[in-house]
Amino acid sequence: MSPRLAGCVAIVTGGGSGIGASAARALARDGASVLVTDVRLGAAEAVAAEITDAGGASAAAILDTTEETHWTPAFTRAEETFGAPVTFLFNNAGVGEIAPLADMQLDAFKRVMRINVEGVFLGLREAVRRMRSAGVTGSIVNTASLGALRGSPGTTAYAASKAAVCALSRNAAVECARAGVPIRVNAILPGLIETPVSAGMIASAGANLTGLIPMGRPGAPAEVAELVVFLASAASSYITGADIAIDGGWGAG
C-alpha cells in the first residue's frame, strides 16, 4: 500500500520545535516531502536532518512568516527541491504574550498580531496563489488555539490573534470552495500541549491547570501531528472551513 501522503509536497512553518517539528516528522513518515521552516535556521535544519536520517524526504529553510518577501522563495525552494508543486501548508508559526490587559503595551499587542495574524495571512495568500496557479488539489492548516474560544486572564493579545486565525481560515475556505478552487482550509485549536514553550507553565501550575482538562493531562505534540496528517490527506476531503479542537475535552467541559 502506498503511503497516504505519497506525492504530497508540504511546507511547515515554526517547524524547528514543538508541534511544528512533530508535524514535519509525521508528514514525512506518511510519505510527504517536507520543507521545514523556522526563523531559527539551525533548528529547522536539525529536524530536516532527523527526517532524512529516518529515510524521509526533507529540507530546511529560514522563513520569517511576517516578511512578505520570504514567502515566494520558500515555495520556490520546496518546488525546486522536490520537483513538484506544494500541495500542503501547515501555517503553524506563532507566539504568545502573557500580560494583564491594563498592563499590556501596544507594541507587544502589535507584535503578537503581526506574527499570529499577518504571518498566517501571508502564508494563506501565497499558498492559494501557488496552488491555484499549479492546478493542484491542496490543503492548508492554520494553527489557532482553544484560547480563541475561551476567555483567560492575561491572554488578550493571544486570544484575539487566534480568533482572527479562525476567521481567516473560514473565509479562505468558503472563498476557495465557492470559486471551485480545490483547496481546503481548516484551523486546528490545540488546548494545553506539552511543548518547550508550555513546559514551565505546566510545571508551575501542576494539578491546578491539568485539573481543568477532562482527560486530566496535557496533550503531546505527536497527538496534534496526527490531526495535521489527517487534514493533509485525502481522508479529510470533505472537511473545509472547520475549527477543530484538540484539547482533551477542555473546551467541552
Side-chain angles (χ1 to χ4, degrees):
M1 185 190 312
S2 298
R4 58 178 164 167
L5 294 181
C8 172
V9 174
I11 295 177
V12 175
T13 72
S17 65
I19 290 171
S22 286
R25 296 185 195 104
L27 290 161
R29 177 205 66 205
D30 276 42
S33 300
V34 184
L35 182 68
V36 183
T37 75
D38 203 285
V39 291
R40 304 160 300 150
L41 180 58
E45 288 176 333
V47 174
E50 181 184 340
I51 291 170
T52 302
D53 289 345
S58 188
I62 191 165
L63 173 57
D64 181 341
T65 60
T66 68
E67 292 292 338
E68 188 171 10
T69 58
H70 281 205
W71 277 101
T72 295
F75 272 75
T76 299
R77 171 73 187 283
E79 291 167 354
E80 291 179 348
T81 299
F82 303 121
V86 173
T87 53
F88 179 65
L89 170 65
F90 184 29
N91 231 352
N92 170 69
V95 295
E97 183 75 29
I98 304 299
L101 174 59
D103 297 335
M104 173 157 275
Q105 300 300 306
L106 180 58
D107 284 348
F109 184 88
K110 287 181 175 179
R111 175 176 177 268
V112 173
M113 297 301 285
R114 185 172 185 224
I115 295 171
N116 291 2
V117 182
E118 291 182 23
V120 168
F121 158 72
L122 290 172
L124 265 173
R125 187 182 68 179
E126 186 68 21
V128 169
R129 285 175 173 175
R130 298 290 281 254
M131 292 175 185
R132 184 174 59 190
S133 176
V136 298
T137 297
S139 175
I140 302 166
V141 171
N142 301 318
T143 299
S145 168
L146 187 64
L149 306 180
R150 295 178 62 93
S152 180
T155 66
T156 298
Y158 181 74
S161 71
K162 293 304 186 177
V165 169
C166 291
L168 279 169
S169 303
R170 285 193 296 270
N171 279 273
V174 170
E175 184 174 311
C176 287
R178 293 290 191 194
V181 177
I183 301 170
R184 297 180 296 105
V185 186
N186 293 290
I188 60 169
L189 283 65
L192 182 62
I193 307 298
E194 199 158 11
T195 68
V197 173
S198 66
M201 177 177 64
I202 293 170
S204 62
N208 291 331
L209 187 57
T210 56
L212 298 172
I213 303 169
M215 290 185 71
R217 64 170 179 85
E223 292 175 302
V224 182
E226 292 304 317
L227 175 58
V228 174
V229 169
F230 169 70
L231 291 170
S233 76
S236 60
S237 59
Y238 198 56
I239 300 175
T240 195
D243 299 335
I244 304 175
I246 178 162
D247 62 1
W250 195 354

